Amino acid sequence: MKSYVVKKKNKNKKISKFKIKTEGYEFKPNIRKECLIKIDSLTVYNLEMIERLLEKKIEISFRKLTKLVFDKVNDEEGNQGGICIALNELTKMKSMIINEFKAFIKKSDYDKYMKRLKLFEKELKNKLIFLEEKVKLKEEEEVKHR
């Protein structure tokens, strides 16, 4: 494994960019300690490291999405707006995986993520259909009572 040392050469504390022709994964690290160097963006070129970074990032996003989906699906009173928000988050994550991460993750992991997303989407759409039918039944009952 290669390591690099960053040395401060002048007072402005800036590092020039290095141009590398290979494709890498660029992200903005979330470093909040004052004693460390401020990094605006970081590009990783090692594929194994990229896979680990993306796996962690995707799993954190999936945990949040799973909680949101289960909350909306198991909500007895549920509203259509909340389910539409969950569907939007799901679509956002799906497009992020397809457009940004697909080049860096294994095909088996990609298939696993897409399968989970399809399952979540199916559950949310079923709940949305259930709520629409519930509203229609309520309207029909109101018409009968008049």
Side-chain angles (χ1 to χ4, degrees):
M1 176 178 238
K2 295 180 182 180
S3 62
Y4 300 91
V5 178
V6 177
K7 294 183 179 180
K8 178 180 153 186
K9 286 189 175 182
N10 52 20
K11 293 181 182 180
N12 67 5
K13 301 178 184 177
K14 288 190 177 181
I15 300 172
S16 61
K17 290 185 177 180
F18 298 100
K19 299 209 177 196
I20 299 175
K21 293 184 180 181
T22 60
E23 188 175 340
Y25 173 67
E26 185 175 344
F27 67 99
K28 296 178 182 181
N30 190 7
I31 300 173
R32 296 187 179 161
K33 294 184 180 179
E34 294 178 19
C35 62
L36 299 175
I37 298 173
K38 183 182 176 188
I39 300 173
D40 293 328
S41 68
L42 184 65
T43 305
V44 178
Y45 295 99
N46 184 336
L47 290 176
E48 292 175 14
M49 191 178 286
I50 293 172
E51 282 181 17
R52 287 189 209 130
L53 285 170
L54 291 180
E55 185 177 322
K56 183 176 179 181
K57 184 175 184 172
I58 292 171
E59 285 303 319
I60 290 170
S61 297
F62 262 106
R63 271 190 245 128
K64 290 178 184 176
L65 185 64
T66 302
K67 185 180 182 320
L68 179 65
V69 168
F70 283 149
D71 287 347
K72 299 303 175 189
V73 169
N74 293 328
D75 187 14
E76 295 297 323
E77 297 176 5
N79 60 359
Q80 294 174 348
I83 293 177
C84 289
I85 290 171
L87 279 169
N88 286 340
E89 288 296 317
L90 186 135
T91 305
K92 179 180 161 185
M93 184 163 183
K94 185 187 262 185
S95 68
M96 191 169 48
I97 289 174
I98 292 171
N99 297 327
E100 295 177 30
F101 302 152
K102 185 177 182 180
F104 300 111
I105 58 177
K106 296 176 188 172
K107 178 151 177 44
S108 60
D109 290 340
Y110 173 78
D111 292 339
K112 178 181 74 169
Y113 297 139
M114 295 310 287
K115 185 177 179 181
R116 286 169 66 184
L117 287 172
K118 285 180 185 175
L119 179 67
F120 289 159
E121 186 175 18
K122 182 179 176 183
E123 288 296 321
L124 286 170
K125 286 183 177 180
N126 286 340
K127 181 68 175 188
L128 192 60
I129 291 169
F130 172 76
L131 289 175
E132 288 173 355
E133 289 176 0
K134 189 176 176 181
V135 168
K136 286 180 183 176
L137 287 174
K138 202 177 223 184
E139 289 174 356
E140 288 175 5
E141 286 180 10
E142 288 177 2
V143 170
K144 287 181 182 177
H145 290 299
R146 288 184 186 176

